[in-house]
């Protein structure tokens, strides 16, 4: 089979190639480990392989990702050789950061390709090239590269306390730090100040970069900051948040123990930001 993409064809012809399988936001896992499926075990029509993307190499062995959503839930055409499809978003088990990064890259790439079948310049169809690294317009030949959308995630602190808030879409009792998308023309620090002011009505002083995490829903990069609150009174934005309060470390620990507060999932940078603050009793 030839997909017309030499890099993808070479990967597909390599006997050491393995596939990560997705159904939208769900990925095929065995426990917390992605199932790596050899081509020989993929009982799917060969034309479906042309939409595979090359995620990377592991000791020179190609690692590809393929969305099998169109191949039916329980159809005879396709059933996974082992494991089960689980939502990446709702994955609660501990998952190591390298595995998360790999899955995030695969999922973000697949989603970007799904959303860009036509050229945003002229409207003609595009084709995937270089194993999915880009798409090229079949009429005007414009190159289109996968996007990453930055968001900030903010641990807002004032003295010994940290602000934890609830978005309406969170599961019951879950609270987290504040997050929001970077708007065109903004620096990350400006986004931190704007989001905090908009969502809880608090002015921000010092900001400190804490780290970042890919978040493939659909293709974000969460950039984490600690921000010092200059004011204390919380004024909620009705739409973004349904609750926000200042917590001491002791309150967080007590509420978590009592089951009245649930922290975000273990794989998220939000959880690590809160845990890091909890463990830091020197401040
Ligand atoms: Zn075009």
């Amino acid at each position: 089979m030839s997909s017309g993409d030499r890099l993808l064809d070479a990967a597909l012809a390599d006997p050491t190639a393995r596939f990560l399988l997705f159904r939208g936001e769900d990925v095929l896992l065995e426990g917390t480990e992605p199932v790596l499926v050899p081509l020989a075990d993929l009982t799917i029509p060969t034309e479906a392989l042309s939409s595979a993307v090359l995620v990377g190499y592991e000791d020179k062995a190609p690692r590809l990702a393929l969305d099998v959503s169109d191949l039916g839930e329980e159809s005879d055409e396709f059933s996974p050789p082992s494991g089960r499809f689980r939502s990446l978003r709702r994955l609660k088990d501990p998952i190591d950061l390298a595995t998360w990064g790999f899955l995030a890259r695969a999922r973000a790439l697949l989603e970007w390709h799904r959303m860009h079948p036509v050229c945003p310049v002229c409207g003609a169809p595009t084709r995937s090239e270089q194993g999915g690294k880009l798409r090229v317009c079949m009429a005007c030949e414009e190159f289109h590269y996968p996007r990453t959308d930055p968001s900030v995630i903010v641990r807002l602190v004032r003295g010994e306390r940290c602000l934890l808030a609830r978005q309406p879409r969170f599961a019951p009792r879950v609270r987290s730090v504040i997050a929001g998308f970077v708007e065109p023309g903004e620096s990350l620090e400006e986004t931190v100040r704007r989001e905090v002011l908009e969502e809880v009505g608090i002015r921000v002083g010092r900001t400190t970069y804490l780290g970042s995490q890919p978040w493939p829903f659909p293709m974000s990069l969460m950039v984490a900051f600690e921000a010092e609150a200059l004011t204390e009174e919380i004024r909620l934005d009705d739409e973004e948040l349904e609750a926000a309060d200042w917590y001491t470390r002791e309150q967080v620990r007590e509420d978590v123990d009592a089951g009245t507060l649930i922290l975000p999932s273990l794989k998220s940078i939000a959880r690590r930001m809160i845990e890091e603050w909890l463990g830091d009793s020197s401040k």
Side-chain angles (χ1 to χ4, degrees):
M1 192 212 80
S2 171
S3 64
D5 174 344
R6 274 188 303 167
L7 200 60
L8 180 61
D9 287 345
L12 291 173
D14 187 328
T16 65
R18 297 290 180 272
F19 286 79
L20 282 168
L21 301 182
F22 284 79
R23 278 185 179 143
E25 285 185 3
D26 297 351
V27 62
L28 187 64
L29 296 177
E30 186 85 68
T32 57
E33 290 296 313
V35 181
L36 294 169
V37 184
L39 182 58
D41 292 357
L42 264 184
T43 51
I44 61 170
T46 47
E47 60 270 22
L49 292 174
S50 64
S51 63
V53 296
L54 183 59
V55 185
Y57 296 88
E58 208 173 333
D59 298 331
K60 294 187 182 165
R63 296 290 179 254
L64 299 118
L66 182 66
D67 194 308
V68 294
S69 301
D70 294 339
L71 300 173
E73 191 62 29
E74 298 291 334
S75 79
D76 298 336
E77 247 186 328
F78 176 74
S79 58
S82 63
R84 78 187 167 96
F85 284 95
R86 296 179 59 197
S87 166
L88 263 190
R89 197 189 284 268
R90 285 191 283 277
L91 215 56
K92 289 197 176 64
D93 314 305
I95 183 166
D96 70 84
L97 291 182
T99 304
W100 175 255
F102 183 59
L103 292 175
R105 175 172 168 74
R107 150 77 190 157
L109 268 176
L110 285 172
E111 187 61 8
W112 179 80
H113 281 279
R114 188 185 69 76
M115 289 164 68
H116 293 80
V118 298
C119 173
V121 178
C122 76
T126 54
R127 65 169 187 275
S128 176
E129 290 217 346
Q130 294 180 34
K133 217 173 187 175
L134 75 162
R135 295 187 78 85
V136 179
C137 176
M138 290 162 83
C140 76
E141 297 187 342
E142 183 82 16
F143 289 8
H144 302 289
Y145 290 91
R147 245 176 38 201
T148 297
D149 301 327
S151 293
V152 297
I153 183 156
V154 186
R155 184 170 76 199
L156 185 64
V157 294
R158 183 162 169 83
E160 295 295 312
R161 293 179 301 165
C162 176
L163 186 130
L164 295 180
R166 251 195 81 71
Q167 291 179 25
R169 64 175 181 82
F170 284 178
R173 304 194 296 280
V174 172
R175 284 188 179 221
S176 186
V177 289
I178 289 176
F181 283 106
V182 178
E183 292 187 350
E186 268 183 339
S187 69
L188 296 168
E189 292 80 1
E190 284 168 340
T191 310
V192 169
R193 291 171 204 285
R194 177 182 54 75
E195 279 291 336
V196 171
L197 190 63
E198 281 177 6
E199 293 192 13
V200 290
I202 288 174
R203 285 197 303 117
V204 161
R206 169 189 58 83
T207 60
T208 310
Y209 173 73
L210 297 178
S212 65
Q213 180 184 40
W215 195 247
F217 309 110
M219 47 204 84
S220 290
L221 175 69
M222 307 294 284
V223 187
F225 286 88
E226 180 171 89
E228 181 189 35
L230 295 178
T231 55
E232 188 159 324
E233 189 198 348
I234 298 167
R235 285 195 309 274
L236 282 190
D237 175 321
D238 298 340
E239 298 195 350
E240 294 264 356
L241 299 176
E242 62 180 30
D245 294 286
W246 291 110
Y247 283 77
T248 61
R249 294 178 175 88
E250 196 177 15
Q251 266 174 299
V252 172
R253 290 193 195 101
E254 276 178 19
D255 288 3
V256 167
D257 286 347
T260 52
L261 172 66
I262 297 174
L263 298 178
S265 86
L266 284 166
K267 69 177 182 298
S268 68
I269 195 165
R271 174 64 170 264
R272 280 182 282 133
M273 290 164 78
I274 297 169
E275 301 246 335
E276 186 189 76
W277 174 78
L278 282 174
D280 186 1
S281 53
S282 64
K283 276 190 183 171

